[in-house]
Amino acid sequence: MTYSHTLTLKTHYPWTSSPLVSSAPMRLIAASPLAAAVSRAGGLGFLGIGTDTSTFLSLLNEAIATFQASPIPNTPGDILPVGVGFICWGANLSMALSVMQSSPLKPAAAWLFAPRETKDLVAWTEEIRKASSGKTKIWVQVGTVTMALDVAKRCKPDVLVIQGSDAGGHGLAQSSSIITLLPECADALAREQFGDIPLIATGGIVDGRGLAAALMLGASGVCLGTRFLASPEAAISEGYRNAVIQTKDGGVNTARTTVYDQLRGTVGWPETYNGRGVLNQSFRDHESGMSEEENKKLYVDATKLGDQGWGSNGRMTTYAGTGVGLIQSVMPAADIVKEVLTESRGVLARAASKL
Amino acid sequence: MTYSHTLTLKTHYPWTSSPLVSSAPMRLIAASPLAAAVSRAGGLGFLGIGTDTSTFLSLLNEAIATFQASPIPNTPGDILPVGVGFICWGANLSMALSVMQSSPLKPAAAWLFAPRETKDLVAWTEEIRKASSGKTKIWVQVGTVTMALDVAKRCKPDVLVIQGSDAGGHGLAQSSSIITLLPECADALAREQFGDIPLIATGGIVDGRGLAAALMLGASGVCLGTRFLASPEAAISEGYRNAVIQTKDGGVNTARTTVYDQLRGTVGWPETYNGRGVLNQSFRDHESGMSEEENKKLYVDATKLGDQGWGSNGRMTTYAGTGVGLIQSVMPAADIVKEVLTESRGVLARAASKL
């Protein structure tokens, strides 16, 4: 975190606190209630458009209505103070652009993730900048040093989101955690004259300790996904939320796998990706060699169980990161943002007092 | 890191700086030159006895001779200012005890790792305490919250080493990184009244940024393994050391696997363990389905190539953590200890100045 990074983020998102706390653009989960609550608390919330660009207009309009009814002070008039996240291999760029062009307010940021190839990101970056007259800042999520450098060179993004292996939901099947990925990216980018791009750490950050650690590693801010699952604003069932609260020892009770994609039919991800979720009966049956057909049948049956379908003995998918074990209770998203910031300052001040 | 943890460590190892920087008991690699250099620089070096307890006496005597020739000021007269590390599933407790009992100086710490069952740790802990009249403090390495609690209850160790998934060499096949594992262990231990046990973070810590991050997460110190491979004191070939320096993007160019154990015949590890090493031709051939027999034959041939046998296109094993990509050059072990401490203070002070 350098002063220039802090200044860049504060200039682009003037309503936000430093360091920046953002919420992940979780597909189907992060809609206007979550994104707006995070931004209103001084963070930057993201809407999860994901692969289905046909949801973009309604998600955007809902957020616009919220902020038109009650704007955040310090927001430039033509900026919507939330970002929008696209899963590039599945999302439709021209549909995204037409929504963006006709929107009265431009999203503060577009988060681009999981393209088939880096060159697709170049098109997304350039076209979104054009469609928003540069008002929508470009965030690109990467999981390796090579990709960070490649994206920096080809897209000149406004932010790089550095995702480590602890992250919940989708990410690279093979990567390090942010403990080494973040500083290695920071060093490599600085060596290649890209040190001015702010880095946002994600993957395993749940509280103020994680935020403070990310700052030590060179991040200018963080993105939390799993933690916000335990907020009332996350659009998930009680079963999912309960599973998040109940899961402990997150390193052994979650795993990276493609089995949940198979069961849910969310296929099409590039081969290098999978998703981290809480171990459940579907996972164990898969590991024991049950056929995909049989496992899927049991999964479909479980969808009829309502909230009982989740949890370690259930079959419904609980995407969550290894930090799930740190989450003890449900808390409003705004309180999460504030608690994470306050705790990080306390942790830092206590450590500094011993220097 | 609390004041009482710092005090405990400073009382047990009075020659050390705070926060504590230690070097891993890497089997075959961490002998007296490395361990002594780390301790002389204000850290705590460990000798890697590993699974072969018959090496204990000579490794210990070499270290004793070093410190008898040139003691560290502030070391209690009957304490050897280095620790010793045992891989419990393979090491022989009674042999370890007879060496320990007859030794004129007792190692400052015994690091216990990878037992077949936790109850074996109880025997190791109690017997070593008895054999050393409590002078040898007990460090137990764990990789899950469950094991941290179990060990705390049954062994009451002096230190818990919390190993995350980024670590090089052996560790749990399935775990989180220290980003979530450390705070989840800290919280769970505190809830069960074991908050007085200092936690040492390991797995992906390479420099002062990693140390500072570990402190934010609740550690009182750190252990570095991979970083010390790039010191002249590590007992490895130039080929190994060069591979460490050359490997970049540590999250994708290392992997957790059992293939290197198969090739080297280092078998007997409990099923839940594997080791992280740099991807090489043996790994790729294994992934492409080459038989173990054929791969082993090629490995044995490669052992005759000398330093050329290492590296991405080689077949010799380069155990290393994901932090390998952060290592740019070879540096004396003492300078590593000092640089890590100095850098961590700078990182912390800079962040604190922005509060």
Side-chain angles (χ1 to χ4, degrees):
Chain A
M1 182 173 63
T2 70
Y3 181 66
S4 78
H5 291 152
T6 306
L7 197 66
T8 301
L9 295 172
K10 194 80 188 167
T11 305
H12 291 170
Y13 322 107
W15 68 90
T16 58
S17 306
S18 295
L20 186 63
V21 174
S22 63
S23 59
M26 298 175 280
R27 193 180 71 94
L28 307 177
I29 297 171
S32 184
L34 178 57
V38 169
S39 289
R40 288 190 192 284
L44 175 59
F46 276 85
L47 302 170
I49 315 302
T51 45
D52 186 0
T53 329
S54 73
T55 64
F56 185 18
L57 182 62
S58 62
L59 283 165
L60 190 67
N61 280 343
E62 193 190 338
I64 289 174
T66 303
F67 286 107
Q68 281 179 335
S70 167
I72 301 181
N74 295 325
T75 313
D78 45 0
I79 298 284
L80 180 71
V82 298
V84 292
F86 298 99
I87 297 172
C88 293
W89 66 260
N92 182 314
L93 175 55
S94 51
M95 199 184 287
L97 292 174
S98 85
V99 172
M100 201 104 104
Q101 270 153 355
S102 59
S103 175
L105 299 183
K106 308 303 180 197
W111 171 318
L112 309 177
F113 173 44
R116 290 247 172 259
E117 301 176 69
T118 308
K119 75 172 169 52
D120 302 339
L121 288 177
V122 178
W124 276 84
T125 300
E126 290 176 356
E127 297 296 324
I128 289 177
R129 283 185 169 145
K130 218 180 291 171
S132 72
S133 310
K135 285 169 188 148
T136 300
K137 302 301 171 189
I138 303 297
W139 290 36
V140 179
Q141 176 180 340
V142 298
T144 69
V145 180
T146 304
M147 197 174 171
L149 286 172
D150 197 23
V151 169
K153 280 172 202 165
R154 295 168 71 178
C155 302
K156 308 213 182 327
D158 298 289
V159 159
L160 279 167
V161 181
I162 310 292
Q163 187 196 38
S165 53
D166 294 283
H170 285 84
L172 291 180
Q174 172 77 348
S175 73
S176 53
S177 81
I178 59 164
I179 277 282
T180 59
L181 183 60
L182 202 106
E184 197 185 346
C185 284
D187 287 354
L189 289 164
R191 270 196 301 272
E192 305 269 339
Q193 315 299 327
F194 294 111
D196 56 332
I197 303 174
L199 306 182
I200 300 293
T202 195
I205 297 160
V206 168
D207 58 23
R209 293 171 290 186
L211 167 54
L215 299 180
M216 300 298 104
L217 299 169
S220 298
V222 291
C223 177
L224 285 65
T226 304
R227 176 71 189 270
F228 286 113
L229 295 175
S231 75
E233 291 90 345
I236 56 177
S237 71
E238 283 312 296
Y240 193 153
R241 218 179 317 266
N242 291 340
V244 167
I245 299 293
Q246 283 157 14
T247 305
K248 298 297 156 216
D249 216 348
V252 279
N253 291 316
T254 67
R256 303 204 69 90
T257 177
T258 54
V259 68
Y260 300 131
D261 276 326
Q262 291 164 21
L263 297 174
R264 289 153 51 101
T266 47
V267 291
W269 283 89
E271 263 191 10
T272 48
Y273 290 79
N274 64 10
R276 184 183 286 280
V278 174
L279 306 191
N280 67 11
Q281 196 55 45
S282 304
F283 179 86
R284 289 189 296 271
D285 284 342
H286 172 78
E287 293 285 294
S288 318
M290 181 184 280
S291 73
E292 188 179 329
E293 191 188 353
E294 171 72 2
N295 212 342
K296 202 161 184 169
K297 192 191 147 298
L298 293 168
Y299 171 80
V300 171
D301 290 348
T303 61
K304 298 163 194 155
L305 296 175
D307 290 334
Q308 303 307 311
W310 270 270
S312 167
N313 298 319
R315 293 181 177 274
M316 303 305 293
T317 300
T318 304
Y319 278 127
T322 66
V324 68
L326 283 161
I327 302 172
Q328 305 293 331
S329 60
V330 174
M331 192 182 281
D335 293 354
I336 293 175
V337 174
K338 288 171 198 159
E339 187 189 88
V340 168
L341 277 166
T342 306
E343 189 187 6
S344 74
R345 289 178 188 133
V347 166
L348 251 167
R350 275 195 299 283
S353 72
K354 298 195 190 109
L355 288 179
Chain B
M1 181 173 64
T2 71
Y3 180 67
S4 79
H5 292 152
T6 306
L7 197 66
T8 301
L9 295 172
K10 194 81 188 169
T11 306
H12 292 170
Y13 322 108
W15 67 90
T16 57
S17 306
S18 294
L20 186 62
V21 174
S22 63
S23 59
M26 297 175 280
R27 192 178 74 93
L28 307 177
I29 296 171
S32 184
L34 178 58
V38 168
S39 288
R40 288 191 193 283
L44 176 58
F46 276 85
L47 302 170
I49 316 301
T51 46
D52 186 0
T53 329
S54 73
T55 63
F56 185 17
L57 182 61
S58 62
L59 283 164
L60 190 66
N61 281 343
E62 193 191 338
I64 289 174
T66 302
F67 286 107
Q68 281 179 334
S70 167
I72 300 182
N74 297 323
T75 313
D78 46 0
I79 298 284
L80 179 70
V82 298
V84 292
F86 299 99
I87 297 171
C88 293
W89 66 260
N92 183 313
L93 175 55
S94 52
M95 198 184 286
L97 292 173
S98 86
V99 171
M100 201 100 113
Q101 270 151 356
S102 60
S103 175
L105 300 182
K106 307 303 181 198
W111 172 316
L112 308 177
F113 173 46
R116 290 247 172 260
E117 301 176 69
T118 307
K119 75 174 168 52
D120 302 339
L121 287 176
V122 178
W124 276 84
T125 299
E126 291 176 356
E127 296 296 325
I128 289 177
R129 282 184 169 147
K130 216 179 293 171
S132 71
S133 309
K135 285 168 187 149
T136 300
K137 302 303 171 191
I138 303 297
W139 290 36
V140 179
Q141 176 179 339
V142 298
T144 69
V145 179
T146 305
M147 197 173 172
L149 286 171
D150 197 24
V151 168
K153 280 172 200 162
R154 296 168 72 178
C155 303
K156 307 215 185 323
D158 298 288
V159 159
L160 279 167
V161 180
I162 310 293
Q163 187 195 38
S165 54
D166 295 284
H170 285 84
L172 292 181
Q174 173 77 348
S175 74
S176 54
S177 83
I178 59 164
I179 275 283
T180 60
L181 183 61
L182 203 109
E184 197 184 346
C185 284
D187 287 353
L189 289 163
R191 271 196 301 270
E192 305 270 339
Q193 313 299 325
F194 295 111
D196 56 332
I197 303 175
L199 306 182
I200 300 292
T202 195
I205 297 159
V206 168
D207 58 24
R209 293 171 289 187
L211 167 53
L215 299 180
M216 300 299 102
L217 298 169
S220 298
V222 290
C223 178
L224 284 65
T226 304
R227 176 70 189 269
F228 285 112
L229 295 175
S231 75
E233 292 90 346
I236 56 176
S237 71
E238 283 312 295
Y240 193 151
R241 217 179 319 265
N242 290 340
V244 168
I245 299 293
Q246 284 158 13
T247 304
K248 299 298 155 213
D249 216 348
V252 278
N253 291 316
T254 67
R256 303 205 68 92
T257 176
T258 55
V259 68
Y260 301 131
D261 276 327
Q262 290 164 22
L263 297 174
R264 290 153 52 100
T266 48
V267 292
W269 284 90
E271 263 191 10
T272 48
Y273 290 80
N274 63 11
R276 185 183 287 278
V278 174
L279 306 191
N280 66 11
Q281 196 55 48
S282 304
F283 180 86
R284 289 190 295 270
D285 284 343
H286 171 77
E287 293 286 293
S288 317
M290 182 184 279
S291 74
E292 187 178 332
E293 191 189 355
E294 171 70 3
N295 212 342
K296 203 160 183 168
K297 193 191 146 298
L298 292 169
Y299 171 80
V300 171
D301 291 347
T303 60
K304 298 163 193 157
L305 296 176
D307 291 333
Q308 303 306 312
W310 269 270
S312 168
N313 297 318
R315 292 182 177 275
M316 304 305 292
T317 301
T318 304
Y319 278 128
T322 66
V324 67
L326 283 161
I327 302 172
Q328 305 292 329
S329 60
V330 175
M331 192 182 281
D335 293 353
I336 293 175
V337 174
K338 288 172 199 159
E339 188 189 89
V340 168
L341 278 166
T342 306
E343 190 187 5
S344 74
R345 289 178 188 131
V347 167
L348 252 166
R350 273 195 300 281
S353 73
K354 296 195 191 109
L355 288 179

